[in-house]
């Protein structure tokens, strides 16, 4: 999905969080994409796991200077595990 978002050339960075190294390497080839390899263990509940990855990405992005407290972030993810399940878009505020 990051590749599709990248096609519209947004002025903001696109953060890609993945446990798969190949996904991170390939996403780095797309304009404006910044991959983050997530190595924490999976949580049993999918929604909790997704929320943890999003929070982790926002914290890491703040430390690297991409985000500031109060910035808006658009999170695009799926409602269940696996490909072809991306159907959720949320606007979050960086804490």
């Amino acid at each position: 999905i990051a590749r599709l978002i990248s096609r519209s050339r947004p002025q903001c960075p696109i953060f890609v969080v993945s446990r798969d190294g190949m996904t991170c390497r390939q996403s780095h080839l797309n304009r404006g994409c910044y991959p983050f390899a997530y190595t924490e263990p999976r949580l049993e509940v999918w929604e909790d796991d997704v929320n943890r990855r999003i929070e982790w990405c926002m914290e890491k992005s703040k430390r690297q200077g991409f985000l500031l407290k109060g910035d808006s972030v658009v999170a695009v993810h799926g409602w269940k595990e696996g490909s072809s399940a991306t159907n959720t878009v949320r606007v979050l505020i960086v804490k």
Side-chain angles (χ1 to χ4, degrees), residues 4-57:
L4 295 174
I5 295 170
S6 175
R7 284 184 188 175
S8 64
R9 299 187 182 268
Q11 294 180 356
C12 58
I14 303 164
F15 301 116
V16 179
V17 181
S18 179
R19 286 186 171 94
D20 183 38
M22 182 175 285
T23 299
C24 289
R25 289 189 299 276
Q26 288 177 347
S27 67
H28 203 262
L29 297 172
N30 295 303
R31 183 185 184 280
C33 289
Y34 297 91
F36 292 117
Y38 188 74
T39 57
E40 299 295 321
R42 292 181 194 272
L43 297 178
E44 288 186 32
V45 179
W46 174 254
E47 186 177 342
D48 294 341
D49 191 50
V50 169
N51 289 333
R52 182 191 232 181
R53 284 183 275 160
I54 291 170
E55 290 294 327
W56 177 84
C57 179

Side-chain angles (χ1 to χ4, degrees), residues 47-90:
E47 186 177 342
D48 294 341
D49 191 50
V50 169
N51 289 333
R52 182 191 232 181
R53 284 183 275 160
I54 291 170
E55 290 294 327
W56 177 84
C57 179
M58 289 194 303
E59 282 300 316
K60 188 166 175 114
S61 300
K62 273 181 21 182
R63 279 185 267 137
Q64 293 184 358
F66 284 110
L67 298 175
L68 300 172
K69 183 178 179 179
D71 285 349
S72 296
V73 174
V74 177
V76 180
H77 59 88
W79 66 280
K80 66 177 183 175
E81 188 173 1
S83 62
S84 302
T86 304
N87 65 351
T88 306
V89 177
R90 295 190 293 170

